[in-house]
């Protein structure tokens, strides 16, 4: 990923998160996981926020994620077994855990779990 694309992605994430922070009211949770959307506009905004969170996780340590993607089974279709992207990442990290230090493995597993949770929430939003 070249520097220009990375900077554009990071700028978009910062912009989305700053807009979400400005738009939050009193006791509202900003993680997008606890609140249920009341209408289509809120659902669309929550979808964008969750997608931005997922992108931020993937942008946090691109070199480490590149190692994960290089270790992925290119012959396997992710959606054929009904798993979401986060589950695919968890499986890939688990299969390639010998390539990572204990600290890297723990971070990747935690991050992939977060992505899986976000993907599950996105699926719920899309179904509603």
């Amino acid at each position: 990923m070249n520097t220009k694309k990375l900077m554009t992605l990071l700028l978009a994430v910062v912009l989305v998160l700053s807009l979400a922070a400005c738009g939050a009211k009193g006791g509202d949770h900003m993680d997008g996981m606890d609140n249920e959307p009341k209408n289509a506009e809120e659902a669309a905004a929550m979808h964008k926020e969750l997608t931005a969170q997922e992108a931020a996780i993937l942008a946090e340590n691109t070199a480490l994620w590149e190692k994960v993607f290089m270790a992925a089974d290119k012959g396997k279709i992710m959606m054929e077994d009904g798993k979401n992207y986060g589950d695919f990442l968890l499986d890939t990290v688990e299969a390639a855990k010998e390539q990572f230090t204990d600290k890297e493995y723990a971070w990747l597993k935690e991050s992939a779990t977060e992505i899986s949770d976000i993907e599950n929430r996105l699926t719920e939003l899309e179904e509603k």
Side-chain angles (χ1 to χ4, degrees), residues 45-110:
M46 188 179 292
H47 193 280
K48 282 184 181 180
E49 184 178 339
L50 291 169
T51 303
Q53 286 177 3
E54 187 174 316
I57 292 169
L58 292 171
E60 190 172 336
N61 192 338
T62 54
L64 199 51
W65 284 115
E66 287 295 323
K67 282 176 73 174
V68 172
F69 298 139
M70 293 301 292
D73 182 3
K74 309 300 189 275
K76 181 180 176 187
I77 298 174
M78 179 181 66
M79 299 306 267
E80 73 184 10
D81 54 8
K83 293 182 178 180
N84 69 32
Y85 185 56
D87 293 336
F88 170 77
L89 290 175
L90 279 169
D91 290 346
T92 303
V93 167
E94 190 65 35
K97 68 181 176 183
E98 69 278 350
Q99 296 181 26
F100 307 110
T101 65
D102 290 341
K103 186 176 179 181
E104 289 174 334
Y105 174 71
W107 183 86
L108 284 167
K109 194 165 182 175
E110 180 181 328

Side-chain angles (χ1 to χ4, degrees), residues 27-47:
D28 285 352
H29 297 283
M30 290 198 21
D31 65 1
M33 302 296 273
D34 297 332
N35 299 346
E36 288 296 320
K38 294 172 184 61
N39 56 42
E41 290 175 358
E42 284 184 14
M46 188 179 292
H47 193 280

Side-chain angles (χ1 to χ4, degrees), residues 12-24:
V13 168
V14 169
L15 179 61
V16 168
L17 293 177
S18 66
L19 289 174
C22 292

